Amino acid sequence: MRVDPDVDGLIDEEGGVWPSLRHYFWVHRLGMPGSGIGSVDRGCDVLLSVLHAEMNRTVGYEEWVLDLFGESWEGGRHYKSWLYGQGLLDNSHVTIEGEAAVRMLAATRPVDAPDIAPIDFAASWNGLDRGITRERREQVMEMREAMGRALRYRFVREPVAGKPGLKLIGFEMGNNIPLTRVLWTIAFPDDYARDRLFAWLADRLDRWQFWGEMAAVEGSRAFSEHLLRLRFADEPIDLA
């Protein structure tokens, strides 16, 4: 792609002119409609969210459907098949081209777009039950908290009613008088139980923006129900 000061847009290798790099990728590479059905930016943002999640962790199919596709099993199944057909997924891993697409889509987001987690964030977890020390656990948790501080919606480890707790806060919400608001809280009997959930949440740093918007718009109860369904998604039923 190249730029010509006399041309309004980007010029491809065949001389075609495109309004943006996203438009070129969506229409020319993926063969999707450029107008009429949805918008290019909307389609690209959904693709970015899905590939971003797949790049940083293994997303179970039930969690994929519940969190990324609004409980539409058919929609989630079709979208994953489409990603495989486009060569952006292979054996449930994002391909090299898919990773390049994620970086391009992240770099070309509108200036007023919602926050996005770092493209490469440390989502692998060593497990709290594998002999690590309390001091080491605290170091890991502090690093994970630090990753979320740049996001508008973030989970923090703070006391709730005098007990170890987690809070979902929205940073500088509101246009007239921006305030940091607590959107959701949960208390635990000890810090080990708190950190166990926080580790699970931190592995899904890319979803914090979506979850924060859900809590802000639909309320803490709706978010609690959503989180509970996700936490137990893809777990087998042990009837032994």
Side-chain angles (χ1 to χ4, degrees):
M1 307 293 286
R2 61 186 178 87
V3 176
D4 186 324
D6 297 325
V7 176
D8 184 16
L10 299 175
I11 305 173
D12 65 21
E13 65 276 11
E14 298 174 351
V17 178
W18 301 87
S20 69
L21 184 57
R22 280 184 159 208
H23 204 103
Y24 172 83
F25 177 73
W26 186 250
V27 177
H28 188 271
R29 166 60 184 85
L30 299 180
M32 302 298 285
S35 62
I37 304 176
S39 70
V40 171
D41 274 331
R42 171 60 180 164
C44 286
D45 286 340
V46 172
L47 178 61
L48 172 60
S49 296
V50 171
L51 293 180
H52 192 193
E54 288 284 346
M55 277 181 62
N56 290 285
R57 64 181 185 277
T58 300
V59 184
Y61 187 63
E62 187 175 352
E63 181 178 347
W64 167 285
V65 169
L66 292 176
D67 200 33
L68 296 170
F69 289 93
E71 304 183 24
S72 172
W73 291 86
E74 189 61 35
R77 185 180 298 111
H78 181 272
Y79 201 90
K80 178 161 282 193
S81 297
W82 178 70
L83 292 178
Y84 275 103
Q86 291 289 349
L88 302 178
L89 276 186
D90 182 24
N91 294 325
S92 295
H93 296 288
V94 180
T95 63
I96 294 176
E97 183 188 7
E99 292 190 12
V102 168
R103 299 183 191 284
M104 181 274 290
L105 293 173
T108 56
R109 300 167 73 241
V111 294
D112 58 346
D115 292 338
I116 184 174
I119 297 303
D120 299 302
F121 63 88
S124 59
W125 178 244
N126 194 32
L128 294 179
D129 301 317
R130 298 181 182 176
I132 64 174
T133 65
R134 186 186 187 95
E135 290 74 17
R136 176 55 183 156
R137 191 185 89 212
E138 183 60 28
Q139 290 175 358
V140 171
M141 292 300 167
E142 288 178 354
M143 289 189 293
R144 290 180 162 241
E145 276 186 313
M147 289 190 299
R149 289 189 188 127
L151 302 178
R152 183 180 187 187
Y153 297 103
R154 65 194 76 161
F155 290 92
V156 296
R157 298 180 303 152
E158 292 183 355
V160 175
K163 296 182 178 181
L166 292 175
K167 296 179 181 179
L168 172 58
I169 64 174
F171 184 70
E172 292 189 354
M173 297 178 63
N175 296 324
N176 296 328
I177 305 178
L179 298 173
T180 297
R181 304 176 188 274
V182 177
L183 304 173
W184 176 86
T185 63
I186 184 172
F188 297 87
D190 52 66
D191 57 1
Y192 186 91
R194 173 202 63 195
D195 289 350
R196 189 162 45 204
L197 179 58
F198 183 71
W200 183 87
L201 293 169
D203 274 353
R204 291 153 179 81
L205 184 70
D206 56 290
R207 301 302 295 162
W208 286 16
Q209 173 70 26
F210 175 80
W211 291 346
E213 292 176 352
M214 175 185 289
V217 174
E218 301 181 29
S220 60
R221 177 174 178 174
F223 174 64
S224 293
E225 293 174 352
H226 183 72
L227 196 66
L228 186 61
R229 288 194 296 269
L230 287 183
R231 183 61 185 85
F232 290 95
D234 298 293
E235 289 196 10
I237 299 176
D238 186 1
L239 299 178

